[in-house]
Amino acid sequence: MIPQLKKKLLLLAGIVAAAVIAVTIWVSLRPSGPGVGFASGNGRIEATEIDIAAKLAGRVQEIMVKEGDTVRTGQPLAQMQIDVLNAQREEARAQSRQAVNAVATAQAQVAVRRSDALAAQAIVGQRESELDAAQRRFARTEPLSKQGAVGIQEVDDDRARVRGAEAALAGAKAQVAAANASIEAAQAQVVGAGSSVAVTEASIARVEADIQDSQLKSPRDGRVQYRVAEPGEVLAAGGKVLNLVDLGDVYMTFFLSETIVGRVAIGSEVHIILDAAPQYVIPATVSYVSSVAQFTPKTVETVSERQKLMFRVKAQISRELLQKHLNMVKTGLPGVAWLKLNPQAQWPANLAVKVPE
């Protein structure tokens, strides 16, 4: 039994040794990428997403696009019902006409008050003449009374006429002051009516702006990703109708370790190979490096643990290249991003840029 056991142990040891040798040879001979001047990370193609939402609460009347449609900047995408807004605009227009009429009425009142002021000023002139005549008569009769040529009663009558003329003149001047005050009041009404016109015009402009905003337009070139709402649905203010992806702002997000990311500069060259199209190599540049580590362990106490820190890196694909191949751009595709750490390094042939014609 013992010799058989030894044979089995020796056979098992030989198998283990052969496996270790095979693993060692595989590790030493396996591909290690283009060299030490490069690094790589796995990621997915992403794009900036835009929610097309209703500015005001209302009912969706029409949606002009389907999921997957490519849209251009300014293209109408959906229409909200505007019956209420149209009614509000007509109401504001009626109020504007009313305010304009109020301005005309106030201006007419100013003209009337000015006419009253002229009439009152004319009466003042008349009363001044009467006072002057009364004063002249009294000035003649008073000396004659002292000489006995005129009776005392006549002198008293002339004195009373002077005082009456003075009172009449004061009353006429008070009427002029009242007329001038009425002019100022009428002019204030004109200003107030003019302000009402400005308010109603602003209301019309606001409602018209809301009507324009009720037609939802694409803010940029992109592709419809989702139809969140359908015609007939009632949405609250800010309710989403569509979701777009900006096909001119496409990038791949991938992660690099702390030991590598410290050598990455903004603008560094990146070549992307997608799993779905391995025959192409897409050029990109580093546009963002996170300043906060991801996948951080609970405690970082050793060098090996610090090397586990991963930082998010974004590789931006040029807008010019994307515009040439809009129909081929798709988000969510996985792939590998190869990053050139050494500016002097040369890309190997299998990582040279190759894009669709």
Side-chain angles (χ1 to χ4, degrees):
M1 294 294 295
I2 294 177
Q4 291 180 353
L5 181 59
K6 288 182 177 181
K7 288 181 180 180
K8 291 181 180 180
L9 292 176
L10 289 174
L11 179 59
L12 181 60
I15 293 173
V16 172
V20 171
I21 293 172
V23 170
T24 303
I25 293 174
W26 178 80
V27 170
S28 62
L29 296 180
R30 66 176 178 174
S32 57
V36 295
F38 298 85
S40 66
N42 297 321
R44 289 182 179 273
I45 293 294
E46 301 178 37
T48 298
E49 295 188 7
I50 308 155
D51 288 327
I52 306 300
K55 178 183 176 181
L56 304 173
R59 188 183 301 276
V60 180
Q61 178 174 317
E62 181 184 6
I63 298 179
M64 298 87 156
V65 292
K66 304 183 298 295
E67 292 180 352
D69 286 355
T70 300
V71 297
R72 296 294 182 180
T73 302
Q75 177 180 337
L77 304 178
Q79 177 66 54
M80 306 294 292
Q81 283 189 353
I82 57 173
D83 296 344
V84 175
L85 292 175
N86 284 332
Q88 291 177 352
R89 180 172 59 182
E90 292 305 314
E91 180 183 5
R93 286 175 176 174
Q95 291 175 346
S96 178
R97 290 191 293 270
Q98 185 178 6
V100 170
N101 293 334
V103 170
T105 301
Q107 290 174 339
Q109 288 296 321
V110 171
V112 171
R113 296 295 178 264
R114 284 176 177 170
S115 297
D116 293 343
L118 291 176
Q121 189 64 43
I123 293 174
V124 168
Q126 181 182 354
R127 296 294 181 262
E128 287 177 344
S129 298
E130 292 173 354
L131 175 61
D132 181 67
Q135 289 174 338
R136 290 176 181 274
R137 180 181 177 84
F138 179 69
R140 290 193 301 268
T141 57
E142 187 178 22
L144 294 176
S145 174
K146 293 178 180 179
Q147 297 174 3
V150 176
I152 296 174
Q153 182 62 43
E154 187 175 354
V155 173
D156 290 340
D157 291 341
D158 290 341
R159 183 182 292 110
R161 290 191 186 94
V162 170
R163 292 175 179 174
E166 290 176 344
L169 177 60
K173 289 181 177 180
Q175 289 179 350
V176 170
N180 289 332
S182 297
I183 292 173
E184 293 179 358
Q187 289 175 337
Q189 290 178 350
V190 171
V191 174
S195 300
S196 298
V197 172
V199 170
T200 55
E201 289 177 349
S203 297
I204 293 173
R206 175 183 57 78
V207 175
E208 288 180 343
D210 289 341
I211 290 175
Q212 292 179 0
D213 288 338
S214 295
Q215 186 180 66
L216 310 183
K217 298 180 179 180
S218 177
R220 62 185 75 181
D221 295 348
R223 179 181 294 137
V224 179
Q225 188 167 224
Y226 306 113
R227 281 176 58 147
V228 184
E230 294 296 331
E233 292 187 29
V234 177
L235 303 179
K240 298 179 183 178
V241 180
L242 299 166
N243 177 269
L244 302 183
V245 290
D246 182 1
L247 299 181
D249 186 12
V250 179
Y251 53 89
M252 174 176 277
T253 297
F254 58 99
F255 292 86
L256 295 175
S257 67
E258 177 268 341
T259 57
I260 296 176
V261 79
R263 301 162 58 191
V264 176
I266 300 297
S268 298
E269 292 184 50
V270 178
H271 287 184
I272 297 172
I273 301 177
L274 300 177
D275 294 352
Q279 70 275 24
Y280 297 123
V281 179
I282 304 169
T285 56
V286 173
S287 61
Y288 171 81
V289 179
S290 174
S291 59
V292 179
Q294 307 289 325
F295 310 139
T296 308
K298 293 182 179 180
T299 58
V300 180
E301 299 176 353
T302 66
V303 174
S304 61
E305 286 179 334
R306 287 201 300 273
Q307 291 176 353
K308 295 177 184 178
L309 301 179
M310 302 296 287
F311 290 79
R312 186 165 66 92
V313 180
K314 181 191 292 186
Q316 189 80 33
I317 302 174
S318 70
R319 184 176 291 270
E320 293 76 13
L321 179 60
L322 293 168
Q323 290 296 328
K324 294 179 182 179
H325 308 283
L326 283 179
N327 294 331
M328 300 180 65
V329 178
K330 297 178 178 64
T331 59
L333 297 179
V336 179
W338 286 94
L339 173 68
K340 185 163 74 170
L341 301 175
N342 182 3
Q344 305 303 323
Q346 297 296 322
W347 288 100
N350 64 323
L351 290 181
V353 172
K354 184 179 180 181
V355 295
E357 296 295 334

